[in-house]
Each structure stands twice: as structure tokens, then as C-alpha cells.
Amino acid sequence: MALAVAAACVLLGLWQLDRLAERRDRNATIAARSVEEARPLAALRSEFNDDPDRLAYRHAFATGTYDTDLEFFSVGRVYGDTAGTLVATPMRLADKSVLIVVRGLVPNGTPGPPAAGYEPRATPTRIEGRLMAGEAPSRIGEPAPEGGHLSALSRLDLDYVDQWVDGEVVPFMLLLDDQDPKPANTPLPLPDGDLTDGRHLGYAVQWFAFAAIAVMGLVALLFRASRVPGASEDALDRARME
């Protein structure tokens, strides 16, 4: 039992070290791409063949018209110390494709509907921001859209959004940083994200410590059993099993 626990703890510690390596690779990618100059979206799509992983965190700009009738929201989001609702608005581009633009976060406590007072302009707008892959589908599933679109989603799942948005929805979204012309009010821009190592190293050390404790406990138990005066082999076996 002690050896099984120790082995499981070692595996969990190694898993946390793998997570740490993945996080550091991601942070290095974000840091490298964050200093790149913004490029036309069409050029980036052509160069990277619409691959969300290769496009993630790159800065792009494009011009199109917001389709506010298809705007939707994702509630219960927390960024830093601010909780609120994400506002996502489809934008129709010149090539007829549709880019989902995450315009930002409306803090909780704002009166009225989530985007009331934060409407974008209905004229052609130049946008600039960071590209990002869509979010994984909700584990509990989203209800099937019937005769229209859903205004509230738990996750920004682009494959799901594509079911009720007319036109080709590009397989990544844009986190808005700037736009021209600017509306009267804009949601809070989303931060770049946490670029620290997180807690993976600390968790790995904890799991390795648990493994060491299990092994040391086993050694102590066997040592105590071997010191029992006049203990028979059967008694020693029973002690080892305990």
C-alpha cells in the first residue's frame, strides 16, 4: 500500500512538471508574439492557413461591420479582481467571412442588459487585437438554437456559434484592443493573461514530499517490526502486512 501510494504521488509530481513545461512554452510563445507588429488579418490567415494554434496571441487588424443583431454574451467571467460578462459581437469582413470579436468585459452591477450603453457603431470599423482560439465546448452542453441565436453562452465555442451565424465563421476570435471609430463607451479590455509559472512547481514538490513520507513510513514500520523481541516469522510477516 505504501509503495503504491508513493508511486502514485511520484506520477502526479511528474505530471505537474509536465504541466509546468507546457505553461513555460506557452508563456514563451505569448512573449514572442506579443512584440510582433500587428498585421492584416487576411495576410495572417493566408500565411498560417487559419490554424488557430499558429495564429494564437498574434496581433492583427481588419475592417468590417459589426452585426449587433447576433451579439452574444458569456456570464460569470472573472479577470483579475473584476467579475462580469464577456461581450462578443460578430463582425462581417470584406470577404464575407465572419470574425467573432470579443469586445471586452462588462463588470457586474452594470444596470440593464449586459451590453446596454456599450453598443458599437454600425459603420465600417477598423479593429485591432489579439487572435485566440475558441473555447472548448461546455461540459454540460449548450441548448440547441431554434430559429435564431442564443444570447447567452457558457463558453465561446466557435463551432457552436457557427450553427446560427450566417456566413463562414473563421475558426478563431479576436480579443479587441482598439477600434476606429470608437463608440461612446467600451467594455473593459481583457488582460494578456498570467505569464507566471503558476503553482505547478509547488504542487510537484508536494507530491514528491508525499511519496517520500510514504516510503519513510514503510521503512519505519518494518524497522519497528524487526525490533520486536522474540518475534516469530509469522509475527514479523503480520507486522510487515500492517
Side-chain angles (χ1 to χ4, degrees), residues 165-214:
V165 172
D166 292 333
E168 174 208 359
V169 175
V170 298
F172 51 86
M173 54 192 181
L174 182 138
L175 308 185
L176 186 65
D177 290 329
D178 195 16
Q179 58 187 325
D180 184 31
K182 291 181 173 62
N185 297 302
T186 58
L188 299 176
L190 300 184
D192 289 332
D194 183 7
L195 296 182
T196 66
D197 286 345
R199 300 181 179 180
H200 299 299
L201 183 58
Y203 289 151
V205 171
Q206 286 181 357
W207 285 120
F208 292 141
F210 293 153
I213 290 171

mmCIF file of all heavy atoms in Angstrom, residues 165-214:
data_model
loop_
_atom_site.group_PDB
_atom_site.id
_atom_site.type_symbol
_atom_site.label_atom_id
_atom_site.label_comp_id
_atom_site.label_asym_id
_atom_site.label_seq_id
_atom_site.Cartn_x
_atom_site.Cartn_y
_atom_site.Cartn_z
ATOM 1 N N VAL A 165 -24.932 31.555 -37.061
ATOM 2 C CA VAL A 165 -24.446 32.777 -37.703
ATOM 3 C C VAL A 165 -24.345 32.515 -39.207
ATOM 4 O O VAL A 165 -23.680 31.570 -39.632
ATOM 5 C CB VAL A 165 -23.079 33.199 -37.143
ATOM 6 C CG1 VAL A 165 -22.503 34.347 -37.962
ATOM 7 C CG2 VAL A 165 -23.209 33.618 -35.685
ATOM 8 N N ASP A 166 -25.031 33.323 -40.008
ATOM 9 C CA ASP A 166 -24.959 33.185 -41.457
ATOM 10 C C ASP A 166 -23.566 33.579 -41.944
ATOM 11 O O ASP A 166 -23.019 34.598 -41.518
ATOM 12 C CB ASP A 166 -26.005 34.080 -42.133
ATOM 13 C CG ASP A 166 -27.416 33.606 -41.859
ATOM 14 O OD1 ASP A 166 -27.587 32.383 -41.629
ATOM 15 O OD2 ASP A 166 -28.345 34.441 -41.869
ATOM 16 N N GLY A 167 -23.022 32.767 -42.824
ATOM 17 C CA GLY A 167 -21.691 33.038 -43.355
ATOM 18 C C GLY A 167 -20.649 32.173 -42.685
ATOM 19 O O GLY A 167 -20.900 31.507 -41.670
ATOM 20 N N GLU A 168 -19.439 32.191 -43.243
ATOM 21 C CA GLU A 168 -18.339 31.389 -42.712
ATOM 22 C C GLU A 168 -17.769 32.057 -41.464
ATOM 23 O O GLU A 168 -17.253 33.172 -41.510
ATOM 24 C CB GLU A 168 -17.238 31.256 -43.769
ATOM 25 C CG GLU A 168 -15.991 30.552 -43.255
ATOM 26 C CD GLU A 168 -14.720 30.989 -43.971
ATOM 27 O OE1 GLU A 168 -14.812 31.828 -44.881
ATOM 28 O OE2 GLU A 168 -13.655 30.492 -43.590
ATOM 29 N N VAL A 169 -17.857 31.383 -40.327
ATOM 30 C CA VAL A 169 -17.255 31.873 -39.091
ATOM 31 C C VAL A 169 -15.804 31.396 -39.056
ATOM 32 O O VAL A 169 -15.538 30.196 -39.096
ATOM 33 C CB VAL A 169 -18.013 31.363 -37.855
ATOM 34 C CG1 VAL A 169 -17.290 31.782 -36.572
ATOM 35 C CG2 VAL A 169 -19.444 31.891 -37.850
ATOM 36 N N VAL A 170 -14.860 32.333 -39.021
ATOM 37 C CA VAL A 170 -13.450 31.951 -39.022
ATOM 38 C C VAL A 170 -13.155 31.193 -37.722
ATOM 39 O O VAL A 170 -13.770 31.452 -36.677
ATOM 40 C CB VAL A 170 -12.530 33.180 -39.171
ATOM 41 C CG1 VAL A 170 -12.783 33.883 -40.491
ATOM 42 C CG2 VAL A 170 -12.714 34.154 -38.026
ATOM 43 N N PRO A 171 -12.224 30.230 -37.760
ATOM 44 C CA PRO A 171 -12.021 29.321 -36.618
ATOM 45 C C PRO A 171 -11.180 29.891 -35.484
ATOM 46 O O PRO A 171 -10.497 29.159 -34.779
ATOM 47 C CB PRO A 171 -11.333 28.121 -37.265
ATOM 48 C CG PRO A 171 -10.569 28.701 -38.401
ATOM 49 C CD PRO A 171 -11.422 29.816 -38.928
ATOM 50 N N PHE A 172 -11.194 31.174 -35.304
ATOM 51 C CA PHE A 172 -10.520 31.819 -34.175
ATOM 52 C C PHE A 172 -11.240 33.127 -33.924
ATOM 53 O O PHE A 172 -12.039 33.585 -34.748
ATOM 54 C CB PHE A 172 -9.025 32.038 -34.460
ATOM 55 C CG PHE A 172 -8.758 32.726 -35.770
ATOM 56 C CD1 PHE A 172 -8.766 34.109 -35.876
ATOM 57 C CD2 PHE A 172 -8.501 31.988 -36.917
ATOM 58 C CE1 PHE A 172 -8.538 34.747 -37.077
ATOM 59 C CE2 PHE A 172 -8.267 32.613 -38.130
ATOM 60 C CZ PHE A 172 -8.283 33.992 -38.213
ATOM 61 N N MET A 173 -10.992 33.741 -32.779
ATOM 62 C CA MET A 173 -11.636 35.004 -32.448
ATOM 63 C C MET A 173 -10.588 36.074 -32.188
ATOM 64 O O MET A 173 -9.384 35.775 -32.118
ATOM 65 C CB MET A 173 -12.558 34.836 -31.248
ATOM 66 C CG MET A 173 -11.903 34.241 -30.016
ATOM 67 S SD MET A 173 -13.128 33.756 -28.771
ATOM 68 C CE MET A 173 -12.059 33.138 -27.469
ATOM 69 N N LEU A 174 -11.036 37.299 -32.065
ATOM 70 C CA LEU A 174 -10.131 38.420 -31.824
ATOM 71 C C LEU A 174 -10.517 39.095 -30.520
ATOM 72 O O LEU A 174 -11.682 39.469 -30.329
ATOM 73 C CB LEU A 174 -10.178 39.409 -32.982
ATOM 74 C CG LEU A 174 -9.227 40.610 -32.866
ATOM 75 C CD1 LEU A 174 -8.554 40.915 -34.216
ATOM 76 C CD2 LEU A 174 -9.961 41.867 -32.379
ATOM 77 N N LEU A 175 -9.546 39.214 -29.609
ATOM 78 C CA LEU A 175 -9.747 39.954 -28.361
ATOM 79 C C LEU A 175 -9.420 41.418 -28.644
ATOM 80 O O LEU A 175 -8.266 41.772 -28.901
ATOM 81 C CB LEU A 175 -8.854 39.403 -27.248
ATOM 82 C CG LEU A 175 -8.920 37.893 -27.001
ATOM 83 C CD1 LEU A 175 -8.079 37.529 -25.779
ATOM 84 C CD2 LEU A 175 -10.339 37.416 -26.829
ATOM 85 N N LEU A 176 -10.426 42.252 -28.605
ATOM 86 C CA LEU A 176 -10.296 43.627 -29.065
ATOM 87 C C LEU A 176 -9.389 44.457 -28.157
ATOM 88 O O LEU A 176 -9.552 44.462 -26.936
ATOM 89 C CB LEU A 176 -11.685 44.265 -29.133
ATOM 90 C CG LEU A 176 -11.763 45.663 -29.729
ATOM 91 C CD1 LEU A 176 -11.366 45.642 -31.207
ATOM 92 C CD2 LEU A 176 -13.177 46.225 -29.568
ATOM 93 N N ASP A 177 -8.450 45.174 -28.780
ATOM 94 C CA ASP A 177 -7.607 46.131 -28.072
ATOM 95 C C ASP A 177 -7.950 47.569 -28.441
ATOM 96 O O ASP A 177 -7.895 48.471 -27.603
ATOM 97 C CB ASP A 177 -6.121 45.878 -28.375
ATOM 98 C CG ASP A 177 -5.606 44.598 -27.736
ATOM 99 O OD1 ASP A 177 -6.109 44.228 -26.663
ATOM 100 O OD2 ASP A 177 -4.712 43.955 -28.323
ATOM 101 N N ASP A 178 -8.294 47.795 -29.714
ATOM 102 C CA ASP A 178 -8.555 49.160 -30.177
ATOM 103 C C ASP A 178 -9.479 49.094 -31.388
ATOM 104 O O ASP A 178 -9.522 48.071 -32.097
ATOM 105 C CB ASP A 178 -7.242 49.858 -30.541
ATOM 106 C CG ASP A 178 -7.416 51.365 -30.680
ATOM 107 O OD1 ASP A 178 -8.442 51.894 -30.206
ATOM 108 O OD2 ASP A 178 -6.534 52.011 -31.267
ATOM 109 N N GLN A 179 -10.200 50.197 -31.628
ATOM 110 C CA GLN A 179 -11.076 50.268 -32.796
ATOM 111 C C GLN A 179 -11.260 51.717 -33.209
ATOM 112 O O GLN A 179 -11.111 52.636 -32.402
ATOM 113 C CB GLN A 179 -12.421 49.619 -32.510
ATOM 114 C CG GLN A 179 -13.170 50.217 -31.334
ATOM 115 C CD GLN A 179 -14.411 49.431 -30.976
ATOM 116 O OE1 GLN A 179 -15.089 48.883 -31.831
ATOM 117 N NE2 GLN A 179 -14.708 49.348 -29.693
ATOM 118 N N ASP A 180 -11.575 51.910 -34.478
ATOM 119 C CA ASP A 180 -11.768 53.244 -35.032
ATOM 120 C C ASP A 180 -12.876 53.172 -36.097
ATOM 121 O O ASP A 180 -12.740 52.411 -37.052
ATOM 122 C CB ASP A 180 -10.465 53.758 -35.652
ATOM 123 C CG ASP A 180 -10.591 55.196 -36.153
ATOM 124 O OD1 ASP A 180 -11.376 55.962 -35.562
ATOM 125 O OD2 ASP A 180 -9.920 55.521 -37.145
ATOM 126 N N PRO A 181 -13.979 53.900 -35.898
ATOM 127 C CA PRO A 181 -14.235 54.869 -34.822
ATOM 128 C C PRO A 181 -14.605 54.171 -33.514
ATOM 129 O O PRO A 181 -15.121 53.061 -33.512
ATOM 130 C CB PRO A 181 -15.409 55.669 -35.367
ATOM 131 C CG PRO A 181 -16.123 54.712 -36.263
ATOM 132 C CD PRO A 181 -15.068 53.864 -36.894
ATOM 133 N N LYS A 182 -14.332 54.870 -32.425
ATOM 134 C CA LYS A 182 -14.641 54.337 -31.104
ATOM 135 C C LYS A 182 -16.078 54.673 -30.723
ATOM 136 O O LYS A 182 -16.555 55.774 -31.004
ATOM 137 C CB LYS A 182 -13.692 54.927 -30.059
ATOM 138 C CG LYS A 182 -12.254 54.463 -30.173
ATOM 139 C CD LYS A 182 -11.407 55.087 -29.071
ATOM 140 C CE LYS A 182 -10.000 54.524 -29.053
ATOM 141 N NZ LYS A 182 -9.279 54.810 -30.307
ATOM 142 N N PRO A 183 -16.773 53.731 -30.059
ATOM 143 C CA PRO A 183 -18.100 54.063 -29.533
ATOM 144 C C PRO A 183 -17.976 54.947 -28.303
ATOM 145 O O PRO A 183 -16.880 55.184 -27.794
ATOM 146 C CB PRO A 183 -18.687 52.689 -29.181
ATOM 147 C CG PRO A 183 -17.481 51.849 -28.914
ATOM 148 C CD PRO A 183 -16.393 52.346 -29.804
ATOM 149 N N ALA A 184 -19.104 55.416 -27.827
ATOM 150 C CA ALA A 184 -19.088 56.303 -26.657
ATOM 151 C C ALA A 184 -18.523 55.589 -25.439
ATOM 152 O O ALA A 184 -17.751 56.167 -24.663
ATOM 153 C CB ALA A 184 -20.494 56.815 -26.376
ATOM 154 N N ASN A 185 -18.903 54.336 -25.251
ATOM 155 C CA ASN A 185 -18.417 53.539 -24.125
ATOM 156 C C ASN A 185 -17.960 52.182 -24.638
ATOM 157 O O ASN A 185 -18.568 51.612 -25.545
ATOM 158 C CB ASN A 185 -19.513 53.337 -23.065
ATOM 159 C CG ASN A 185 -19.961 54.646 -22.439
ATOM 160 O OD1 ASN A 185 -19.158 55.372 -21.872
ATOM 161 N ND2 ASN A 185 -21.254 54.932 -22.542
ATOM 162 N N THR A 186 -16.913 51.664 -24.042
ATOM 163 C CA THR A 186 -16.407 50.364 -24.446
ATOM 164 C C THR A 186 -16.257 49.463 -23.224
ATOM 165 O O THR A 186 -15.920 49.932 -22.133
ATOM 166 C CB THR A 186 -15.035 50.472 -25.147
ATOM 167 O OG1 THR A 186 -14.109 51.116 -24.258
ATOM 168 C CG2 THR A 186 -15.148 51.267 -26.423
ATOM 169 N N PRO A 187 -16.509 48.153 -23.371
ATOM 170 C CA PRO A 187 -16.254 47.240 -22.256
ATOM 171 C C PRO A 187 -14.776 47.253 -21.878
ATOM 172 O O PRO A 187 -13.917 47.700 -22.654
ATOM 173 C CB PRO A 187 -16.670 45.878 -22.830
ATOM 174 C CG PRO A 187 -17.592 46.190 -23.962
ATOM 175 C CD PRO A 187 -17.091 47.482 -24.537
ATOM 176 N N LEU A 188 -14.474 46.767 -20.701
ATOM 177 C CA LEU A 188 -13.091 46.715 -20.245
ATOM 178 C C LEU A 188 -12.287 45.748 -21.122
ATOM 179 O O LEU A 188 -12.727 44.616 -21.359
ATOM 180 C CB LEU A 188 -13.023 46.255 -18.788
ATOM 181 C CG LEU A 188 -13.728 47.136 -17.750
ATOM 182 C CD1 LEU A 188 -13.640 46.484 -16.378
ATOM 183 C CD2 LEU A 188 -13.117 48.530 -17.728
ATOM 184 N N PRO A 189 -11.122 46.163 -21.623
ATOM 185 C CA PRO A 189 -10.314 45.232 -22.423
ATOM 186 C C PRO A 189 -9.806 44.083 -21.568
ATOM 187 O O PRO A 189 -9.562 44.232 -20.367
ATOM 188 C CB PRO A 189 -9.162 46.112 -22.927
ATOM 189 C CG PRO A 189 -9.075 47.236 -21.938
ATOM 190 C CD PRO A 189 -10.476 47.477 -21.465
ATOM 191 N N LEU A 190 -9.634 42.925 -22.186
ATOM 192 C CA LEU A 190 -9.165 41.759 -21.455
ATOM 193 C C LEU A 190 -7.650 41.815 -21.300
ATOM 194 O O LEU A 190 -6.938 42.214 -22.219
ATOM 195 C CB LEU A 190 -9.556 40.478 -22.192
ATOM 196 C CG LEU A 190 -11.059 40.273 -22.393
ATOM 197 C CD1 LEU A 190 -11.319 38.912 -23.040
ATOM 198 C CD2 LEU A 190 -11.814 40.376 -21.073
ATOM 199 N N PRO A 191 -7.129 41.412 -20.145
ATOM 200 C CA PRO A 191 -5.669 41.429 -19.929
ATOM 201 C C PRO A 191 -4.992 40.353 -20.749
ATOM 202 O O PRO A 191 -5.634 39.444 -21.301
ATOM 203 C CB PRO A 191 -5.540 41.162 -18.435
ATOM 204 C CG PRO A 191 -6.771 40.390 -18.078
ATOM 205 C CD PRO A 191 -7.861 40.932 -18.956
ATOM 206 N N ASP A 192 -3.669 40.435 -20.819
ATOM 207 C CA ASP A 192 -2.892 39.468 -21.589
ATOM 208 C C ASP A 192 -2.901 38.084 -20.969
ATOM 209 O O ASP A 192 -2.637 37.100 -21.636
ATOM 210 C CB ASP A 192 -1.435 39.944 -21.730
ATOM 211 C CG ASP A 192 -1.322 41.135 -22.672
ATOM 212 O OD1 ASP A 192 -2.169 41.247 -23.574
ATOM 213 O OD2 ASP A 192 -0.401 41.945 -22.497
ATOM 214 N N GLY A 193 -3.188 38.006 -19.697
ATOM 215 C CA GLY A 193 -3.181 36.707 -19.028
ATOM 216 C C GLY A 193 -1.981 36.571 -18.112
ATOM 217 O O GLY A 193 -1.025 37.348 -18.157
ATOM 218 N N ASP A 194 -2.020 35.555 -17.293
ATOM 219 C CA ASP A 194 -0.972 35.295 -16.303
ATOM 220 C C ASP A 194 0.216 34.627 -16.986
ATOM 221 O O ASP A 194 0.084 33.528 -17.535
ATOM 222 C CB ASP A 194 -1.534 34.403 -15.201
ATOM 223 C CG ASP A 194 -0.520 34.144 -14.093
ATOM 224 O OD1 ASP A 194 0.565 34.759 -14.116
ATOM 225 O OD2 ASP A 194 -0.814 33.325 -13.208
ATOM 226 N N LEU A 195 1.364 35.284 -16.955
ATOM 227 C CA LEU A 195 2.563 34.733 -17.603
ATOM 228 C C LEU A 195 3.547 34.183 -16.579
ATOM 229 O O LEU A 195 4.722 34.007 -16.891
ATOM 230 C CB LEU A 195 3.240 35.807 -18.467
ATOM 231 C CG LEU A 195 2.419 36.324 -19.647
ATOM 232 C CD1 LEU A 195 3.223 37.341 -20.455
ATOM 233 C CD2 LEU A 195 1.953 35.185 -20.540
ATOM 234 N N THR A 196 3.083 33.921 -15.382
ATOM 235 C CA THR A 196 3.950 33.314 -14.375
ATOM 236 C C THR A 196 3.954 31.791 -14.543
ATOM 237 O O THR A 196 3.215 31.233 -15.358
ATOM 238 C CB THR A 196 3.481 33.671 -12.962
ATOM 239 O OG1 THR A 196 2.198 33.059 -12.727
ATOM 240 C CG2 THR A 196 3.351 35.182 -12.814
ATOM 241 N N ASP A 197 4.768 31.133 -13.729
ATOM 242 C CA ASP A 197 4.835 29.667 -13.773
ATOM 243 C C ASP A 197 3.648 29.018 -13.081
ATOM 244 O O ASP A 197 3.477 27.794 -13.152
ATOM 245 C CB ASP A 197 6.126 29.167 -13.116
ATOM 246 C CG ASP A 197 7.350 29.415 -13.977
ATOM 247 O OD1 ASP A 197 7.175 29.710 -15.181
ATOM 248 O OD2 ASP A 197 8.482 29.309 -13.455
ATOM 249 N N GLY A 198 2.839 29.812 -12.401
ATOM 250 C CA GLY A 198 1.718 29.233 -11.688
ATOM 251 C C GLY A 198 2.179 28.427 -10.475
ATOM 252 O O GLY A 198 3.276 28.632 -9.943
ATOM 253 N N ARG A 199 1.373 27.469 -10.060
ATOM 254 C CA ARG A 199 1.656 26.691 -8.853
ATOM 255 C C ARG A 199 2.143 25.280 -9.163
ATOM 256 O O ARG A 199 2.215 24.438 -8.270
ATOM 257 C CB ARG A 199 0.401 26.607 -7.986
ATOM 258 C CG ARG A 199 -0.111 27.975 -7.534
ATOM 259 C CD ARG A 199 -1.340 27.820 -6.660
ATOM 260 N NE ARG A 199 -1.831 29.117 -6.196
ATOM 261 C CZ ARG A 199 -2.900 29.286 -5.416
ATOM 262 N NH1 ARG A 199 -3.590 28.211 -5.022
ATOM 263 N NH2 ARG A 199 -3.287 30.488 -5.042
ATOM 264 N N HIS A 200 2.451 25.018 -10.422
ATOM 265 C CA HIS A 200 2.797 23.645 -10.806
ATOM 266 C C HIS A 200 4.039 23.133 -10.076
ATOM 267 O O HIS A 200 4.075 21.979 -9.628
ATOM 268 C CB HIS A 200 3.002 23.554 -12.320
ATOM 269 C CG HIS A 200 1.770 23.927 -13.097
ATOM 270 N ND1 HIS A 200 0.587 23.236 -12.978
ATOM 271 C CD2 HIS A 200 1.540 24.924 -13.990
ATOM 272 C CE1 HIS A 200 -0.326 23.788 -13.769
ATOM 273 N NE2 HIS A 200 0.230 24.807 -14.380
ATOM 274 N N LEU A 201 5.072 23.969 -9.954
ATOM 275 C CA LEU A 201 6.292 23.524 -9.282
ATOM 276 C C LEU A 201 6.018 23.222 -7.817
ATOM 277 O O LEU A 201 6.490 22.203 -7.275
ATOM 278 C CB LEU A 201 7.382 24.581 -9.421
ATOM 279 C CG LEU A 201 8.750 24.203 -8.817
ATOM 280 C CD1 LEU A 201 9.279 22.914 -9.442
ATOM 281 C CD2 LEU A 201 9.749 25.346 -9.000
ATOM 282 N N GLY A 202 5.257 24.082 -7.159
ATOM 283 C CA GLY A 202 4.925 23.845 -5.753
ATOM 284 C C GLY A 202 4.125 22.567 -5.566
ATOM 285 O O GLY A 202 4.379 21.792 -4.637
ATOM 286 N N TYR A 203 3.165 22.332 -6.484
ATOM 287 C CA TYR A 203 2.380 21.100 -6.398
ATOM 288 C C TYR A 203 3.271 19.877 -6.622
ATOM 289 O O TYR A 203 3.095 18.846 -5.965
ATOM 290 C CB TYR A 203 1.264 21.119 -7.429
ATOM 291 C CG TYR A 203 0.144 22.089 -7.125
ATOM 292 C CD1 TYR A 203 -0.603 22.666 -8.144
ATOM 293 C CD2 TYR A 203 -0.168 22.434 -5.811
ATOM 294 C CE1 TYR A 203 -1.639 23.551 -7.874
ATOM 295 C CE2 TYR A 203 -1.194 23.323 -5.527
ATOM 296 C CZ TYR A 203 -1.919 23.872 -6.572
ATOM 297 O OH TYR A 203 -2.938 24.750 -6.282
ATOM 298 N N ALA A 204 4.222 19.973 -7.563
ATOM 299 C CA ALA A 204 5.124 18.846 -7.818
ATOM 300 C C ALA A 204 5.947 18.529 -6.575
ATOM 301 O O ALA A 204 6.106 17.359 -6.198
ATOM 302 C CB ALA A 204 6.038 19.165 -9.003
ATOM 303 N N VAL A 205 6.469 19.556 -5.920
ATOM 304 C CA VAL A 205 7.252 19.343 -4.695
ATOM 305 C C VAL A 205 6.390 18.677 -3.630
ATOM 306 O O VAL A 205 6.842 17.768 -2.912
ATOM 307 C CB VAL A 205 7.830 20.683 -4.189
ATOM 308 C CG1 VAL A 205 8.456 20.513 -2.804
ATOM 309 C CG2 VAL A 205 8.866 21.212 -5.178
ATOM 310 N N GLN A 206 5.137 19.095 -3.517
ATOM 311 C CA GLN A 206 4.246 18.496 -2.527
ATOM 312 C C GLN A 206 4.036 17.001 -2.810
ATOM 313 O O GLN A 206 4.093 16.174 -1.891
ATOM 314 C CB GLN A 206 2.903 19.218 -2.533
ATOM 315 C CG GLN A 206 2.950 20.592 -1.893
ATOM 316 C CD GLN A 206 1.590 21.268 -1.900
ATOM 317 O OE1 GLN A 206 0.622 20.723 -2.429
ATOM 318 N NE2 GLN A 206 1.521 22.457 -1.329
ATOM 319 N N TRP A 207 3.799 16.651 -4.069
ATOM 320 C CA TRP A 207 3.571 15.237 -4.390
ATOM 321 C C TRP A 207 4.822 14.392 -4.125
ATOM 322 O O TRP A 207 4.724 13.269 -3.613
ATOM 323 C CB TRP A 207 3.129 15.092 -5.852
ATOM 324 C CG TRP A 207 1.710 15.503 -6.105
ATOM 325 C CD1 TRP A 207 1.277 16.487 -6.939
ATOM 326 C CD2 TRP A 207 0.532 14.938 -5.517
ATOM 327 N NE1 TRP A 207 -0.094 16.580 -6.914
ATOM 328 C CE2 TRP A 207 -0.577 15.635 -6.049
ATOM 329 C CE3 TRP A 207 0.306 13.920 -4.594
ATOM 330 C CZ2 TRP A 207 -1.879 15.339 -5.682
ATOM 331 C CZ3 TRP A 207 -0.995 13.612 -4.234
ATOM 332 C CH2 TRP A 207 -2.078 14.313 -4.776
ATOM 333 N N PHE A 208 5.983 14.943 -4.478
ATOM 334 C CA PHE A 208 7.219 14.200 -4.201
ATOM 335 C C PHE A 208 7.433 14.055 -2.692
ATOM 336 O O PHE A 208 7.934 13.021 -2.214
ATOM 337 C CB PHE A 208 8.416 14.890 -4.853
ATOM 338 C CG PHE A 208 8.393 14.832 -6.358
ATOM 339 C CD1 PHE A 208 8.797 15.924 -7.121
ATOM 340 C CD2 PHE A 208 7.979 13.690 -7.030
ATOM 341 C CE1 PHE A 208 8.789 15.878 -8.506
ATOM 342 C CE2 PHE A 208 7.962 13.631 -8.416
ATOM 343 C CZ PHE A 208 8.362 14.732 -9.154
ATOM 344 N N ALA A 209 7.059 15.081 -1.932
ATOM 345 C CA ALA A 209 7.176 15.000 -0.469
ATOM 346 C C ALA A 209 6.242 13.929 0.085
ATOM 347 O O ALA A 209 6.623 13.170 0.981
ATOM 348 C CB ALA A 209 6.862 16.356 0.158
ATOM 349 N N PHE A 210 5.028 13.847 -0.444
ATOM 350 C CA PHE A 210 4.102 12.799 -0.004
ATOM 351 C C PHE A 210 4.668 11.414 -0.305
ATOM 352 O O PHE A 210 4.527 10.480 0.501
ATOM 353 C CB PHE A 210 2.748 12.969 -0.686
ATOM 354 C CG PHE A 210 1.999 14.200 -0.274
ATOM 355 C CD1 PHE A 210 1.083 14.782 -1.132
ATOM 356 C CD2 PHE A 210 2.211 14.782 0.974
ATOM 357 C CE1 PHE A 210 0.385 15.923 -0.762
ATOM 358 C CE2 PHE A 210 1.514 15.911 1.360
ATOM 359 C CZ PHE A 210 0.596 16.491 0.482
ATOM 360 N N ALA A 211 5.297 11.264 -1.475
ATOM 361 C CA ALA A 211 5.910 9.980 -1.826
ATOM 362 C C ALA A 211 7.015 9.634 -0.840
ATOM 363 O O ALA A 211 7.129 8.480 -0.383
ATOM 364 C CB ALA A 211 6.457 10.030 -3.256
ATOM 365 N N ALA A 212 7.850 10.620 -0.487
ATOM 366 C CA ALA A 212 8.938 10.379 0.468
ATOM 367 C C ALA A 212 8.387 10.009 1.841
ATOM 368 O O ALA A 212 8.913 9.112 2.523
ATOM 369 C CB ALA A 212 9.822 11.620 0.569
ATOM 370 N N ILE A 213 7.311 10.654 2.254
ATOM 371 C CA ILE A 213 6.702 10.341 3.556
ATOM 372 C C ILE A 213 6.189 8.905 3.572
ATOM 373 O O ILE A 213 6.357 8.170 4.553
ATOM 374 C CB ILE A 213 5.573 11.332 3.855
ATOM 375 C CG1 ILE A 213 6.153 12.723 4.129
ATOM 376 C CG2 ILE A 213 4.738 10.875 5.047
ATOM 377 C CD1 ILE A 213 5.116 13.820 4.216
ATOM 378 N N ALA A 214 5.559 8.477 2.456
ATOM 379 C CA ALA A 214 5.045 7.105 2.400
ATOM 380 C C ALA A 214 6.181 6.093 2.495
ATOM 381 O O ALA A 214 6.081 5.092 3.216
ATOM 382 C CB ALA A 214 4.258 6.908 1.101
#
